[in-house]
Amino acid sequence: MSPLEPLIDGHGRPIGDVRVSVTDRCNFRCQYCMPAEGLAWLERPQLLTYEELERLVRLLAAMGVHDVRLTGGEPLVRRELWRLVERLAALEDVHDLSLTTNGYLLAKQVDELVAAGLRRVNVSLDALAPDRFFQLTRRDSLAQVLAGLAAAQRHPELRPIKVNVVALKGFTEPEVVRFAEFARERPFEVRFIEFMPLDADQAWDMDQVLPNDEIRAMIDAVYPLVADDRPAHATATTWRFADGRGRIGFVSPVSVPFCDDCNRIRITADGMLRTCLFSLHETDLRGLMRDGGDDGELEAAIREAVWSKELKHRINDPGFRQPARSMSRIGG
Ligand code: SAM
Ligand code: SF4
């Protein structure tokens, strides 16, 4: 597809990254994301097909949205995800194709995903002790996730491998240093992520947020850290261990919002364009496609929505309203 004008929001920020949710379903029930009984799942016809997803990604990539991350729900529960990876990896304008997964099905699928063109993976892992892992995810599956990470590690094409840890006050502290050691012993970049008000139970409270500064101080006291420069648009600040063994990252949307140079948009599994995790409105791209809209109409709808992209999230403002969709229904 020939290049189109770059996609720019009304605050002058160029958009370069899209998070594409392929399903709202999940095989885990992380406390900070989903209720124990799960949620009312979308019906299959409500999901964008792989053809529709490829069409949207091709169009976005032609507008300069070169980085594509597949997520969910749990993306690996969508049937034959490798087929979508193969389609997207073949798009010339997609420069970086990655996957965020809870890792449970990764060992089974990693060979076909890499063969299809996947080059980067983030695995969520919030606890290193089996009982604590169970407490948080409500699944006794730590061994499968570690096996998934090990299987990913066996593919040198798949780098970097990042491990995402959502930090919760009163829960994560005992394992902070253990996670630092995990990052030092293995070729994984461990990144601590602050808990955001996107839980389905709507029980988020500032008191449950463990600020990343506190985590960094806990690690630095045992294994001194040296700051890296922060690349533009990066969600994480990264730090190297002073002795040169490994690196650790911090994603701090609550304590240090990074909205100023946000370059991201999201597409939900049912084809809604969201311009912010905390958007209170969305644009129905699925309806437009299924009503026979051509690429010109789709492009116009995307540009119009992106023009109104939120300047910043308002988590820390009085009167903040949590969006109706929780994280697994948005695509984190
Ligand atoms: N199921 C996959 C996984 O867990 O990696 C992909 C989807 S999940 C919604 C994407 C990321 O969002 C995960 O790293 C997860 O830990 C994170 N997440 C979910 N709810 C969150 C919340 N309320 N605050 C911060 N991060 C959250
Ligand atoms: Fe599932 Fe990921 Fe949400 Fe955990 S964070 S419940 S793995 S979607």
Side-chain angles (χ1 to χ4, degrees):
M1 184 164 188
S2 39
L4 301 167
E5 286 290 305
L7 184 59
I8 295 183
D9 79 4
H11 306 286
R13 296 170 297 191
I15 306 301
D17 183 310
V18 62
R19 312 281 159 114
V20 177
S21 172
V22 297
T23 180
D24 59 329
R25 292 177 192 237
C26 189
N27 41 7
F28 283 12
R29 297 286 181 273
C30 304
Q31 302 270 0
Y32 52 74
C33 182
M34 260 201 217
E37 64 279 13
L39 293 164
W41 310 128
L42 294 168
E43 299 293 334
R44 198 176 164 81
Q46 295 176 279
L47 298 181
L48 291 187
T49 63
Y50 287 173
E51 289 74 15
E52 288 168 331
L53 285 167
E54 180 189 347
R55 180 177 172 197
L56 282 180
V57 170
R58 175 185 282 119
L59 186 63
L60 287 167
M63 290 190 257
V65 186
H66 299 306
D67 298 347
V68 180
R69 171 171 296 280
L70 301 179
T71 181
E74 171 46 40
L76 298 186
V77 304
R78 177 93 186 239
R79 199 178 308 155
E80 298 186 325
L81 187 73
W82 65 269
R83 290 186 188 277
L84 177 65
V85 169
E86 192 171 62
R87 282 168 178 265
L88 302 184
L91 298 176
E92 202 184 334
D93 293 325
V94 171
H95 299 168
D96 183 27
L97 178 61
S98 57
L99 172 75
T100 298
T101 171
N102 63 27
Y104 182 78
L105 293 168
L106 191 57
K108 275 196 190 130
Q109 297 188 22
V110 73
D111 293 351
E112 51 200 13
L113 289 166
V114 172
L118 187 72
R119 290 295 171 264
R120 227 149 66 70
V121 69
N122 286 7
V123 177
S124 302
L125 174 60
D126 304 314
L128 291 167
D131 55 330
R132 292 167 46 81
F133 184 94
F134 175 76
Q135 190 186 339
L136 201 73
T137 61
R138 303 184 177 108
R139 295 290 183 270
D140 189 13
S141 304
L142 177 64
Q144 286 88 337
V145 176
L146 292 176
L149 274 168
Q153 199 184 328
R154 285 195 285 276
H155 286 276
E157 307 93 317
L158 211 51
R159 293 292 183 274
I161 299 171
K162 295 184 184 169
V163 171
N164 289 342
V165 185
V166 173
L168 302 175
K169 193 168 228 153
F171 177 81
T172 307
E173 293 90 333
E175 285 193 319
V176 162
V177 173
R178 184 67 205 98
F179 269 114
E181 286 161 354
F182 191 73
R184 289 166 58 75
E185 290 157 8
R186 322 250 182 142
F188 307 139
E189 182 182 310
V190 172
R191 307 182 328 157
F192 289 96
I193 301 175
E194 288 174 346
F195 178 31
M196 290 181 275
L198 291 167
D199 53 321
D201 294 331
Q202 303 225 346
W204 180 91
D205 189 296
M206 195 57 98
D207 293 343
Q208 296 165 282
V209 178
L210 178 58
N212 270 331
D213 267 1
E214 287 183 32
I215 297 181
R216 191 165 46 76
M218 289 164 79
I219 295 174
D220 191 60
V222 184
Y223 299 109
L225 292 166
V226 181
D228 285 333
D229 293 335
R230 179 173 179 261
H233 313 304
T235 50
T237 54
T238 59
W239 297 65
R240 280 167 289 120
F241 290 101
D243 63 4
R245 277 185 68 191
R247 162 177 270 111
I248 201 131
F250 299 95
V251 182
S252 316
V254 180
S255 65
V256 191
F258 40 83
C259 306
D260 283 355
D261 68 348
C262 177
N263 70 341
R264 280 171 294 286
I265 54 173
R266 290 182 156 78
I267 295 174
T268 66
D270 53 347
M272 302 291 154
L273 173 65
R274 293 179 63 87
T275 49
C276 175
L277 269 176
F278 297 95
S279 291
L280 296 175
H281 52 260
E282 22 191 62
T283 301
D284 181 5
L285 300 180
R286 182 189 67 188
L288 192 53
M289 286 193 283
R290 293 189 184 172
D291 287 345
D294 64 20
D295 278 359
E297 288 168 275
L298 262 182
E299 182 188 341
I302 292 168
R303 286 194 191 283
E304 190 182 329
V306 164
W307 189 252
S308 306
K309 179 172 159 66
E310 296 75 354
L311 177 61
K312 58 180 191 138
H313 70 62
R314 305 200 176 266
I315 299 176
N316 299 310
D317 295 359
F320 165 76
R321 270 169 62 208
Q322 183 163 342
R325 276 189 200 253
S326 52
M327 193 63 128
S328 65
R329 285 175 156 156
I330 297 172

